[in-house]
Amino acid sequence: MSVLIFADQVEGVVKKSALEAIQYGSKVAQLLHTTASAIVLGAADDAALATLGNYGVTKVLHVAAPSLNEVDAAAYTHVIAEAAAQESADVLVFPFNFDGRAIAPRVAARLKAGLVTGAISLPDLAGGFVVKKNVFSGKAFASVNITSATKVVAVMPNTFALEPSGLTAEVVNFNTSIPPAKVKVLQREVISGEVPLSEATLVVSGGRGLKGPENWGLVEDLAKALGATTACSRPVADAGWRPHHEHVGQTGLAIRPNLYIAIGISGAIQHLAGVNGSKVIVVINKDPEAPFFKAADYGIVGDAFEVVPKITEAVKALQ
Amino acid sequence: MKILVCISKTPDTTAKIAFTDNNTKFSEAGVQFIVNPYDEWYALVRALELKEATGATVHLVTVGGADTEPIIRKALALGGDEAFRINANSQDSYYIAAQIAALAAQQGYDLIFTGKETIDFNGSGIGGMVAELLQLPFVSIAAKFELNGNTATIRREIEGGEEVNQVTLPVVVSCQKGMAEARIPNMRGIMAARTKPLTVSEPVAADTLTSIVSFELPPAKAGVKLIPADNPAELVRLLHEEAKVI
Ligand SMILES: Cc1cc2nc3c(=O)[nH]c(=O)nc-3n(C[C@H](O)[C@H](O)[C@H](O)COP(=O)(O)OP(=O)(O)OC[C@H]3O[C@@H](n4cnc5c(N)ncnc54)[C@H](O)[C@@H]3O)c2cc1C
């Protein structure tokens, strides 16, 4: 019996959502009085991987094969299942990020393990293995009991704050057969220098109230001052004012930052569905009746074109 | 070419979320049901575009009770050729995936599309599980799908960017925004849908590995604190000193 956590990485750097999964898995192991290991696939510096001990694992299995530098869900599933067998893992934890969404269900099916995705609580072991998850696009939670012997949990990003302990983990090379990838990666474009929206703790978002893409400097200046990532409402992405990956809401990305600042967004129910997990919501809207104010913690009723530059100045003054 | 599109019935995006039976059941009172938007707007419409371009056949599958039939008819009205309803009510993704995989194994598809997730359970599990059960490659959260003969070029979302994948059919793909533009069924489609084949079959034996114990609603917000528009610096102070988020 043990817990195995899949931690994905980009160019040797383990993703923040994966660190959160490691910490979650380590806490599950504590609850079950067992040990937790992490598994990292693809090229990465072993000294850097040892620091994953910070989040509670004592061992990191590293499969450095270059063919694993690209994510192929089938090949990854095979390797993770082999590691789970070696470690006698009966709980497998994934980050519920883009890779986790591709791989966790495959691993669950392979191991015939019950799957809960988007977990926002540690398991309650009193009545089985009951994990709380987001449902109805953040409008409710469900407590789900995993009844199979092997269990797979994918942890909602930005839900558990990281608490590094300063400990290090032992890094072990894990050798196993690797099936050839059937999915070839032809190209990858990652916007560098910005925290990806799915991992961002501070988000500044703009809606149709900003009138046109030429006014986005307003949003960008505030985001820059805060070190925040930018987002937008659906009509803004649909109109091509902003790239599609910035679209948040029911049919876009669901995010849970510490701070979500909505500028010129009315707060339609489908928009709220993607952002209502945010810890603090600030709404800036010239219409006092905008529904978003009902979901907000702080609000300013006013013209964004006048208010936002002043907020940006005040943020700069703070630093 | 044969394409399978997995269809799920979900509450409308504006539905009031409430629970009954001691918070163990979703309250369907007054709720309108729709085809899960990811299934309809992106998976189904892209499949229909491929049908128009290549003469492919588009099958639909849903795992659900007779109450899902209006949803299936709507998807047929948009242009699906034939539908399968596997007569089972389940909330366990492994059980559902096993049903879809069994149908797919019997029918043999070149392409299986699912939505990125359903907007009610937000599981994101079915596509990957079906792929594993059928031992097919899986590309998740696709925003663009182009087909050239037997080779699919797929743009998929990754953290803070995109990746272009190439894979030989058959493949399972979960679909999101960008794949296609939503369509509205026309009268001719609605009429035709009435007579298109909808085969109901009983489920194959499969295990249920999870069960929902209860639902709950998030705690209500305390209410908004309004800051005068002429004093935005006060907002920054509150975020720093009170909320401690900056
Ligand atoms: C099935 C379905 C799924 C959907 N999914 C999503 C989704 O994922 N994400 C999403 O965002 N939407 C989604 N929508 C659309 C949603 O219903 C709304 O139409 C959309 O969110 C509105 O975007 P908006 O707030 O930017 O624009 P609007 O509703 O037009 O609001 C603009 C706001 O800006 C304010 N404003 C105008 N000028 C100023 C100014 N100078 N200063 C300050 N404020 C100003 C106005 O008062 C208004 O409140 C979905 C809809 C459906 C039917």
Side-chain angles (χ1 to χ4, degrees):
Chain A
M1 191 168 97
S2 78
V3 176
L4 181 67
I5 304 122
F6 165 73
D8 55 337
Q9 50 116 347
V10 208
E11 281 156 18
V13 181
V14 173
K15 292 177 190 165
K16 175 169 160 268
S17 48
L19 300 179
E20 292 163 3
I22 291 175
Q23 181 173 294
Y24 179 97
S26 304
K27 289 191 176 174
V28 174
Q30 274 174 24
L31 290 173
L32 294 169
H33 309 291
T34 180
T35 54
S37 325
I39 179 163
V40 177
L41 309 188
D45 175 25
D46 281 353
L49 295 184
T51 65
L52 297 180
N54 258 320
Y55 306 102
V57 284
T58 47
K59 184 162 75 175
V60 177
L61 303 177
H62 184 201
V63 194
S67 67
L68 295 174
N69 288 346
E70 316 283 11
V71 178
D72 173 70
Y76 268 49
T77 296
H78 174 84
V79 174
I80 295 165
E82 293 292 308
Q86 179 192 284
E87 298 294 308
S88 313
D90 48 6
V91 178
L92 286 93
V93 176
F94 293 77
F96 193 46
N97 58 19
F98 288 97
D99 290 338
R101 280 177 190 258
I103 303 160
R106 277 201 89 119
V107 170
R110 159 93 48 128
L111 302 177
K112 228 177 151 191
L115 170 70
V116 173
T117 59
I120 55 166
S121 82
L122 284 167
D124 179 353
L125 302 177
F129 192 98
V130 179
V131 180
K132 203 188 278 192
K133 82 178 289 285
N134 263 330
V135 287
F136 297 101
S137 307
K139 286 177 258 180
F141 311 122
S143 292
V144 185
N145 191 11
I146 308 183
T147 48
S148 51
T150 308
K151 298 158 176 64
V152 175
V153 179
V155 180
M156 194 73 183
N158 274 349
T159 303
F160 300 94
L162 291 172
E163 304 152 5
S165 66
L167 298 176
T168 53
E170 175 197 7
V171 181
V172 184
N173 284 312
F174 176 62
N175 292 312
T176 182
S177 63
I178 300 169
K182 287 193 185 152
V183 179
K184 266 201 276 298
V185 178
L186 299 185
Q187 194 187 327
R188 178 178 300 138
E189 295 158 23
V190 178
I191 302 123
S192 55
E194 207 183 271
V195 183
L197 190 52
S198 52
E199 300 201 339
T201 52
L202 305 174
V203 174
V204 181
S205 187
R208 207 146 54 175
L210 287 170
K211 311 279 189 294
E214 66 279 7
N215 297 324
W216 239 260
L218 211 67
V219 174
E220 280 166 348
D221 288 348
L222 176 55
K224 207 164 168 197
L226 284 166
T229 304
T230 51
C232 69
S233 69
R234 181 174 138 212
V236 164
D238 283 355
W241 297 359
R242 299 298 294 174
H244 281 304
H245 64 80
E246 285 198 3
H247 159 196
V248 293
Q250 186 134 33
T251 46
L253 201 63
I255 54 171
R256 297 168 68 85
N258 289 340
L259 175 62
Y260 182 76
I261 303 184
I263 305 171
I265 303 177
S266 57
I269 191 162
Q270 297 94 354
H271 184 85
L272 295 179
V275 302
N276 54 10
S278 309
K279 270 148 220 120
V280 173
I281 294 179
V282 174
V283 170
I284 297 151
N285 197 305
K286 70 174 184 191
D287 175 8
E289 300 300 322
F292 219 147
F293 283 115
K294 290 202 181 71
D297 299 283
Y298 300 98
I300 295 183
V301 179
D303 184 345
F305 296 95
E306 286 166 22
V307 171
V308 176
K310 289 187 197 149
I311 299 176
T312 307
E313 286 315 309
V315 169
K316 285 185 186 154
L318 188 71
Q319 287 147 359
Chain B
M1 188 169 71
K2 270 171 89 178
I3 307 174
L4 179 66
V5 180
C6 303
I7 299 284
S8 180
K9 173 189 145 187
T10 58
D12 178 49
T13 53
T14 55
K16 182 175 171 354
I17 306 302
F19 303 101
T20 61
D21 292 27
N22 209 6
N23 285 328
T24 57
K25 274 207 184 75
F26 174 64
S27 167
E28 300 196 351
V31 170
Q32 271 224 330
F33 286 91
I34 58 170
V35 183
N36 179 44
Y38 290 107
D39 304 350
E40 178 188 327
W41 300 354
Y42 310 126
L44 176 57
V45 177
R46 187 68 191 119
L48 296 174
E49 289 172 354
L50 293 170
K51 171 183 162 175
E52 287 151 11
T54 68
T57 308
V58 175
H59 284 185
L60 313 170
V61 62
T62 198
V63 179
D67 57 311
T68 59
E69 292 200 358
I71 300 305
I72 305 172
R73 291 286 173 203
K74 174 163 187 215
L76 286 171
L78 281 164
D81 294 300
E82 187 175 344
F84 297 85
R85 176 169 74 80
I86 297 157
N87 189 30
N89 272 308
S90 175
Q91 287 168 316
D92 179 55
S93 39
Y94 180 81
Y95 181 92
I96 295 168
Q99 304 307 325
I100 295 170
L103 174 78
Q106 184 199 341
Q107 288 282 337
Y109 294 105
D110 304 286
L111 206 46
I112 300 177
F113 279 164
T114 71
K116 165 188 151 189
E117 63 185 44
T118 56
I119 61 166
D120 52 0
F121 199 63
N122 306 114
S124 234
I126 302 293
M129 286 187 177
V130 169
E132 181 63 24
L133 293 170
L134 296 169
Q135 287 299 300
L136 293 179
F138 176 49
V139 177
S140 67
I141 321 201
K144 202 161 193 268
F145 181 98
E146 297 298 338
L147 198 58
N148 191 345
N150 220 18
T151 306
T153 305
I154 306 168
R155 196 173 269 277
R156 76 169 188 110
E157 208 172 326
I158 56 172
E159 266 82 19
E162 285 186 332
E163 202 174 80
V164 180
N165 288 178
Q166 198 167 70
V167 61
T168 307
L169 303 191
V171 62
V172 181
V173 179
S174 78
C175 307
Q176 73 149 346
K177 186 177 175 171
M179 284 288 274
E181 293 295 332
R183 291 184 179 181
I184 298 165
N186 58 29
M187 210 51 204
R188 203 157 49 108
I190 295 168
M191 297 302 283
R194 294 194 183 149
T195 53
K196 284 181 180 171
L198 193 174
T199 309
V200 180
S201 60
E202 289 309 308
V204 297
D207 286 321
T208 292
L209 308 178
T210 59
S211 67
I212 295 182
V213 181
S214 63
F215 293 100
E216 67 194 270
L217 295 171
K221 283 254 175 192
V224 60
K225 195 177 256 190
L226 288 177
I227 293 113
D230 58 8
N231 193 9
E234 174 63 3
L235 171 70
V236 175
R237 188 192 70 78
L238 287 168
L239 292 177
H240 182 60
E241 291 175 14
E242 187 178 82
K244 298 191 169 62
V245 284
I246 62 172

